[in-house]
Amino acid sequence: MASSNTPDSPKKPARGSRESRKHTPKANTKGLYQRAFKQAFVKLNPRVMLKNPVMFVVWVGTIVTALLTIDPTLFGSVPGETQRVFNGLVTFILFFTLVFANFAEAVAEGRGKAQADALRSTKADTTARKLLPDGSIQEVSSTSLRRGDQIKVIAGDVIPADGEVIAGVASVDESAITGESAPVLKEPGSDIASSVTGGTRILSDELTLRVMADPGKGFLDRMIALVEGAERSKTPNEIALTVLLAVLTLVFLIVVSTIPPLGNYVKTPVGVVTLISLLVALIPTTIGGLLSAIGIAGMDRVAQFNVIATSGRAVEACGDVNTLILDKTGTITLGNRLAEEFIPVNGHSLEEVASVALAASLFDDTPEGKSIVRLAQNLGAQVNFDRTSATGLDFSAKTRMSGTDLPDGIEVRKGAVDAVKGFVRSRRGNGGPDLDAAYERVSRLGCTPLGVCQGSDTYGIIYLKDVIKPGIRDRFDQLRKMGIRTIMLTGDNRITASVIADESGVDDFIAEATPEDKIEVIRKQQAEGKLVAMTGGCRRDSQGWH
């Protein structure tokens, strides 16, 4: 068994360690509270307070008690120094209640702004090494870079702009963007592994990048715009609760208004300040004061985990999710499937399988394809044909294969084992019993088998290894306790899918799923009255887009 020639990755810091947090943007807590304190007084504007019926009643009561503190004889109240002190104490308590409620809401709103500021801090102007047409390097400001420029970054540098790797292999710390402490290997040739984000940091070696975004149009700029542009409108539940609180407030207002006539009837008059104090104590002041803060805090809470909720409605909907559908590759597993071994079948030698696999993967620029090339070259396989005269065939969802048409008319293919079998049968060959045994062996390890053939002859199996993400089973257990059912969707064969499903702990799985199948599963779950969430990204590997 041979391994690929990938550079050694730096030691991965533990999640939450000082190393993993070193370059993660943090909000300025002191500045957050200072802004919130100022906003707490700005929000005392009656137009703002009127949006919250409960707190508006408290606001009106504060004004009345303040006037009675200044002149205790207003509204026919009994004058006296003791009464003035009592009125002043009630005014202070009501005013503090208003400011505290506004402060809580301002802090919740401020966290979103702080998250945007923290993201913006990673966009600080840096010096970039721009490659000139003559091959020389010129140090320029990162703000002067334009789409198409080429730059060089070395270990320790902050990547100055969104770009694509065109040369070099290096580890990049993307924790400031993704929250993942583990570094990511970047190399040219694939859509995912070759893309880098401005504000991340290169940890080892060096890369040559092509800038892919003009200033102000990068990934971080879009993230900041989403955070700052998140809607602060009320959710349906919040609107319903606000109406309920308003009705309760009106009921208690009517109740309190009946006390003065009763008091006068028994010759025990009740003062205005006492009535206001009673009303504020009866109405749901605490819920009314913190309701908006709770809704906003939900949006900003998820923002701290690098998840952007564009409205409170989205956060509220997450609480009602019944079913969570997940892609396998890159979501449940790490997603960096690499060639681990060649398994010969039908009497072929390991060297023959390596040669055919090399020919079939020569034009495959995905990380899996490159790993197959490296493994084959490690075993001594060489290209014995004119590459410029050969034709590379990309993977397609229809054929589920990729490969090369050689100059002499020979066809070499690799891909899903059943697809390779069909190709071989169309050339009047057969897979042979060894192929099924090798296919099942790899599948039962929870890995992905790819068939390799040349014309009508099947040569062997490529063993692609992937690893389940640490802690994923515990997370699914937590979701299960919350009443959320998990379903894994994958294009892998049923044996591999069942092994991954068992190890990860998902409730159900669907194997050999096409994009159309995934949409159909979602629609079926929704037709059963379930609220469905789906997580997973779009990535390209040797079996296509996932």
Side-chain angles (χ1 to χ4, degrees):
M1 184 182 297
S3 60
S4 57
N5 289 333
T6 54
D8 294 335
S9 298
K11 184 178 180 181
K12 297 180 181 180
R15 179 181 292 275
S17 65
R18 179 174 298 180
E19 290 82 358
S20 70
R21 298 191 303 262
K22 186 175 181 180
H23 304 299
T24 304
K26 299 294 183 182
N28 183 349
T29 304
K30 183 178 179 181
L32 168 64
Y33 290 133
Q34 287 177 344
R35 288 196 299 267
F37 185 74
K38 294 177 182 177
Q39 284 297 312
F41 290 92
V42 173
K43 288 176 177 291
L44 292 175
N45 186 315
R47 294 182 180 179
V48 177
M49 299 303 303
L50 191 58
K51 297 178 181 179
N52 190 328
V54 177
M55 299 313 295
F56 181 72
V57 170
V58 179
W59 182 86
V60 172
T62 305
I63 298 298
V64 173
T65 57
L67 293 174
L68 288 171
T69 302
I70 298 172
D71 185 1
T73 62
L74 288 176
F75 310 115
S77 300
V78 180
E81 191 62 31
T82 303
Q83 186 66 36
R84 187 190 298 271
V85 173
F86 175 75
N87 294 351
L89 183 60
V90 172
T91 301
F92 173 79
I93 294 174
L94 296 183
F95 181 76
F96 176 80
T97 302
L98 289 173
V99 171
F100 178 79
N102 289 343
F103 179 76
E105 182 176 354
V107 168
E109 290 177 341
R111 290 194 184 278
K113 296 185 176 74
Q115 183 73 7
D117 292 340
L119 289 171
R120 193 176 287 108
S121 68
T122 66
K123 294 174 68 271
D125 186 14
T126 59
T127 300
R129 300 179 182 87
K130 182 178 178 180
L131 296 177
L132 301 179
D134 60 3
S136 60
I137 296 178
Q138 178 185 7
E139 291 191 350
V140 299
S141 169
S142 59
T143 57
S144 67
L145 295 175
R146 294 294 182 271
R147 182 182 177 92
D149 289 346
Q150 294 186 11
I151 57 176
K152 181 181 284 285
V153 289
I154 62 175
D157 285 355
V158 173
I159 295 175
D162 291 3
E164 177 186 16
V165 179
I166 57 177
V169 179
S171 294
V172 175
D173 176 12
E174 295 186 331
S175 59
I177 306 299
T178 65
E180 286 287 344
S181 60
V184 181
L185 190 67
K186 297 293 183 180
E187 59 182 341
S190 74
D191 298 84
I192 304 300
S194 65
S195 62
V196 295
T197 305
T200 57
R201 185 178 295 269
I202 180 171
L203 299 178
S204 67
D205 304 291
E206 62 181 41
L207 296 172
T208 301
L209 310 175
R210 180 186 295 112
V211 177
M212 301 301 293
D214 291 328
K217 298 181 179 180
F219 174 78
L220 279 179
D221 297 289
R222 297 195 299 272
M223 286 271 289
I224 292 168
L226 282 173
V227 172
E228 293 184 329
E231 298 176 6
R232 301 303 184 185
S233 56
K234 293 182 179 180
T235 65
N237 286 345
E238 188 177 352
I239 293 173
L241 190 53
T242 300
V243 172
L244 175 61
L245 296 180
V247 171
L248 289 175
T249 300
L250 181 60
V251 169
F252 286 121
L253 181 60
I254 294 173
V255 170
V256 171
S257 66
T258 63
I259 294 178
L262 293 175
N264 292 333
Y265 178 76
V266 298
K267 299 180 180 181
T268 307
V270 182
V272 175
V273 175
T274 303
L275 293 173
I276 292 174
S277 302
L278 178 61
L279 176 61
V280 172
L282 290 175
I283 64 177
T285 309
T286 303
I287 299 176
L290 298 180
L291 182 60
S292 59
I294 292 171
I296 296 170
M299 297 173 61
D300 298 324
R301 175 70 172 171
V302 297
Q304 295 178 38
F305 294 95
N306 292 352
V307 177
I308 296 178
T310 56
S311 68
R313 185 187 298 269
V315 178
E316 189 174 280
C318 288
D320 298 327
V321 168
N322 308 109
T323 303
L324 175 61
I325 297 177
L326 309 99
D327 281 331
K328 178 185 79 72
T329 306
T331 304
I332 294 176
T333 64
L334 293 177
N336 54 342
R337 297 190 297 189
L338 302 177
E340 184 77 10
E341 182 184 0
F342 294 137
I343 304 175
V345 299
N346 298 339
H348 290 289
S349 67
L350 181 62
E351 290 73 18
E352 289 176 318
V353 179
S355 296
V356 176
L358 174 62
S361 306
L362 203 59
F363 294 93
D364 188 349
D365 289 331
T366 66
E368 289 86 348
K370 290 183 177 182
S371 73
I372 294 172
V373 171
R374 286 194 292 263
L375 179 55
Q377 291 175 339
N378 287 345
L379 294 173
Q382 296 180 352
V383 177
N384 53 10
F385 57 87
D386 182 7
R387 178 171 177 173
T388 59
S389 300
T391 303
L393 301 176
D394 293 333
F395 176 93
S396 72
K398 184 177 181 180
T399 64
R400 299 173 65 204
M401 294 186 300
S402 62
T404 307
D405 288 341
L406 304 184
D408 54 5
I410 296 176
E411 301 169 308
V412 288
R413 298 288 187 272
K414 73 174 192 304
V417 173
D418 58 342
V420 169
K421 281 184 177 180
F423 179 82
V424 169
R425 283 196 297 269
S426 70
R427 301 317 189 256
R428 299 185 178 180
N430 62 76
D434 293 346
L435 180 65
D436 292 333
Y439 161 81
E440 186 169 341
R441 169 194 159 190
V442 174
S443 297
R444 292 196 180 281
L445 293 174
C447 300
T448 302
L450 296 182
V452 181
C453 69
Q454 178 174 295
S456 60
D457 192 3
T458 305
Y459 274 67
I461 291 288
I462 302 173
Y463 170 5
L464 292 182
K465 185 177 181 180
D466 200 354
V467 179
I468 293 177
K469 289 183 177 180
I472 195 73
R473 190 179 187 91
D474 292 336
R475 296 183 185 182
F476 288 149
D477 287 340
Q478 293 173 4
L479 290 172
R480 195 172 296 110
K481 291 177 182 178
M482 296 165 59
I484 298 176
R485 184 168 178 261
T486 53
I487 301 175
M488 180 185 76
L489 292 179
T490 176
D492 281 339
N493 64 79
R494 186 169 185 81
I495 298 176
T496 298
S498 65
V499 174
I500 295 295
D502 183 62
E503 292 183 6
S504 63
V506 294
D507 296 313
D508 197 3
F509 71 92
I510 297 176
E512 299 177 348
T514 65
E516 292 77 13
D517 293 334
K518 296 179 180 181
I519 294 174
E520 184 61 31
V521 169
I522 294 174
R523 289 175 176 170
K524 182 179 178 181
Q525 292 290 321
Q526 291 174 333
E528 295 176 0
K530 298 177 181 178
L531 186 61
V532 181
M534 183 167 185
T535 179
C538 187
R539 68 183 301 275
R540 189 176 65 130
D541 58 21
S542 57
Q543 297 195 58
W545 285 99
H546 300 274

